[in-house]
């Protein structure tokens, strides 16, 4: 009886405490961002001609493939805004990754001045995805259950994350140095330097360190960065596949690395999420007869409930 009572209390706690407080607000932001991205991306897929004159002809297949992935990301966010209940922390993590992808994808359009009829919509998706991420960061539940990841997948995940800055910092800086010496201003893809060097690579560095140290923030957020990486890099692989639609020849040398790196992100992110476990905090709370905080999904308001006599007897 005591064991069953303890299990029941654990399930109640994990069901009622979300990874994010004010989850209703977060889900509304996800839904709006997903809807706007879906509108912008579906228009680009339906009428690729909107990129004529504002995107270099050799980059139009990449814009088209990015729109295909953005359609999927928008639909995914719409679904997650409905399905990411408080007890589904992994759904919330995936949603943050898709928001990160939209921030990056539409950051490219905004920074590179893609001045077609959808530019204001691009700005809206870019801004909303950024502020949705800020809102999520500000509403991470401080008293939600801790999480754990066994040593092998934790080290593998941290190693995969640290690998990205080790590759892309030298690569991008090596491409920037000649431009800095000559003063040349390139017309396209300079947004990649900004977004990668200022946002994505520092994120990988920080979360790799936190994951290696078994810190809760790293364990929760690194899979979101893998979701971002997978969707973004997979769009490059798809871009090679759709080139014949635009009269261009696919490049195997570009396709295979993009496919391999996106596959790495998919494997690491899936492994991390699959092995991520919530740690039951009831034993410590029961031992000290401390009240257990619980949260409302919509408001994030906390209530205090004392442990049941069953839990006390087990302690």
């Amino acid at each position: 009886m005591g064991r069953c009572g303890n299990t029941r209390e654990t399930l109640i706690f994990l069901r009622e405490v979300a990874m994010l407080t004010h989850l209703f607000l977060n889900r509304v932001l996800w839904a709006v961002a997903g809807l706007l991205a879906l509108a912008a991306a579906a228009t680009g897929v339906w009428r690729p001609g909107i990129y004529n004159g504002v995107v270099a002809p050799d980059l139009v297949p990449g814009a088209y493939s990015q729109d295909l992935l953005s359609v999927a990301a928008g639909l995914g966010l719409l679904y997650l805004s409905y399905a990411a209940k408080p007890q589904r922390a992994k759904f919330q993590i995936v949603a943050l990754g898709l928001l990160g992808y939209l921030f990056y994808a539409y950051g490219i359009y905004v920074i590179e001045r893609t001045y077609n009829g959808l530019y204001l919509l691009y700005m809206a998706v870019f801004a909303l995805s950024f502020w949705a991420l800020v809102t999520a960061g500000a509403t991470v539940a401080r008293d939600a259950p801790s999480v754990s990841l066994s040593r092998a997948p934790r080290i593998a995940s941290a190693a995969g994350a640290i690998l990205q800055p080790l590759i892309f910092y030298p690569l991008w800086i090596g491409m920037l140095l000649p431009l800095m010496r000559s003063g040349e201003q390139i017309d396209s893809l300079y947004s990649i330097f900004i977004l990668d060097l200022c946002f994505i690579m520092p994120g990988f560095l920080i979360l790799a360190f936190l994951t290696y140290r078994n810190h809760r923030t790293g364990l929760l957020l690194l899979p979101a960065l893998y979701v971002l990486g997978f969707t973004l890099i997979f769009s490059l692989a798809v871009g090679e596949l759709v080139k014949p639609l635009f009269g261009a020849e696919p490049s195997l040398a570009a396709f295979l690395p993009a496919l391999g790196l996106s596959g790495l992100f998919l494997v690491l992110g899936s492994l991390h999420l699959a092995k991520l476990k919530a740690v039951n905090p009831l034993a410590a709370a029961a031992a000290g007869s401390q009240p257990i905080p619980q949260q409302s999904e919509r408001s994030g308001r906390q209530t205090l409930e004392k442990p049941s006599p069953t839990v006390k007897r087990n302690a």
Side-chain angles (χ1 to χ4, degrees):
M1 174 64 182
R3 184 176 181 180
C4 291
N6 195 10
T7 302
R8 179 175 175 275
E9 293 291 339
T10 301
L11 293 175
I12 290 173
F13 188 91
L14 295 179
R15 184 167 60 247
E16 294 189 359
V17 179
M19 184 184 88
L20 300 175
T21 64
H22 299 81
L23 186 55
F24 178 76
L25 171 61
N26 280 280
R27 289 163 63 187
V28 168
L29 292 174
W30 303 348
V32 176
L35 190 61
L36 294 179
L38 184 60
T43 302
V45 172
W46 178 48
R47 294 183 56 193
I50 63 173
Y51 297 114
N52 292 342
V54 293
V55 174
D58 59 319
L59 298 179
V60 171
Y64 183 79
S65 66
Q66 183 170 291
D67 282 339
L68 288 174
L69 268 293
S70 296
V71 167
L75 290 172
L77 273 176
L78 286 173
Y79 170 73
L80 291 170
S81 68
Y82 167 77
K85 301 298 192 292
Q87 71 274 21
R88 292 179 169 177
K90 293 179 181 180
F91 279 27
Q92 299 167 38
I93 293 170
V94 173
L96 296 182
L98 293 179
L99 284 171
Y101 163 76
L102 293 182
F103 170 76
Y104 193 109
Y106 286 92
I108 293 175
Y109 289 159
V110 170
I111 295 171
E112 303 219 356
R113 300 167 297 175
T114 310
Y115 292 147
N116 58 23
L118 298 178
Y119 187 74
L120 291 178
L121 190 54
Y122 299 158
M123 294 183 74
V125 177
F126 178 58
L128 187 58
S129 58
F130 172 78
W131 288 110
L133 289 169
V134 170
T135 301
T139 58
V140 171
R142 301 295 183 265
D143 52 1
S146 296
V147 291
S148 67
L149 190 64
S150 55
R151 179 176 175 80
R154 177 165 55 85
I155 297 301
S157 188
I162 200 67
L163 181 64
Q164 309 313 311
L166 292 178
I167 293 174
F168 287 102
Y169 267 132
L171 181 62
W172 293 158
I173 292 174
M175 295 174 66
L176 279 173
L177 289 177
L179 299 175
M180 294 166 61
R181 284 194 295 266
S182 66
E184 179 186 356
Q185 293 183 336
I186 57 177
D187 295 326
S188 301
L189 300 182
Y190 54 88
S191 60
I192 306 299
F193 298 136
I194 298 170
L195 294 167
D196 274 2
L197 296 179
C198 298
F199 296 99
I200 304 304
M201 295 307 129
F204 271 118
L205 277 173
I206 294 168
L207 294 180
F209 174 76
L210 292 177
T211 298
Y212 176 75
R213 295 298 301 270
N214 208 27
H215 193 282
R216 177 173 175 265
T217 301
L219 296 178
L220 285 173
L221 296 185
L222 185 53
L225 206 49
Y226 283 137
V227 172
L228 183 161
F230 166 73
T231 49
L232 186 67
I233 302 301
F234 188 65
S235 73
L236 300 180
V238 175
E240 294 301 318
L241 297 178
V242 301
K243 277 186 175 180
L245 298 177
F246 300 90
E249 189 71 23
S251 169
L252 194 62
F255 173 74
L256 291 180
L259 185 64
L261 185 55
S262 62
L264 176 65
F265 285 143
L266 179 62
V267 169
L268 289 175
S270 300
L271 177 66
H272 192 129
L273 282 176
K275 299 296 184 180
L276 192 64
K277 304 296 181 184
V279 176
N280 177 18
L282 288 178
S289 297
Q290 297 294 325
I292 301 170
Q294 297 187 356
Q295 294 172 324
S296 164
E297 173 189 349
R298 290 179 178 268
S299 66
R301 185 175 61 250
Q302 296 182 353
T303 59
L304 297 179
E305 179 180 296
K306 292 184 178 179
S308 69
T310 303
V311 178
K312 290 183 180 179
R313 284 197 298 271
N314 288 335

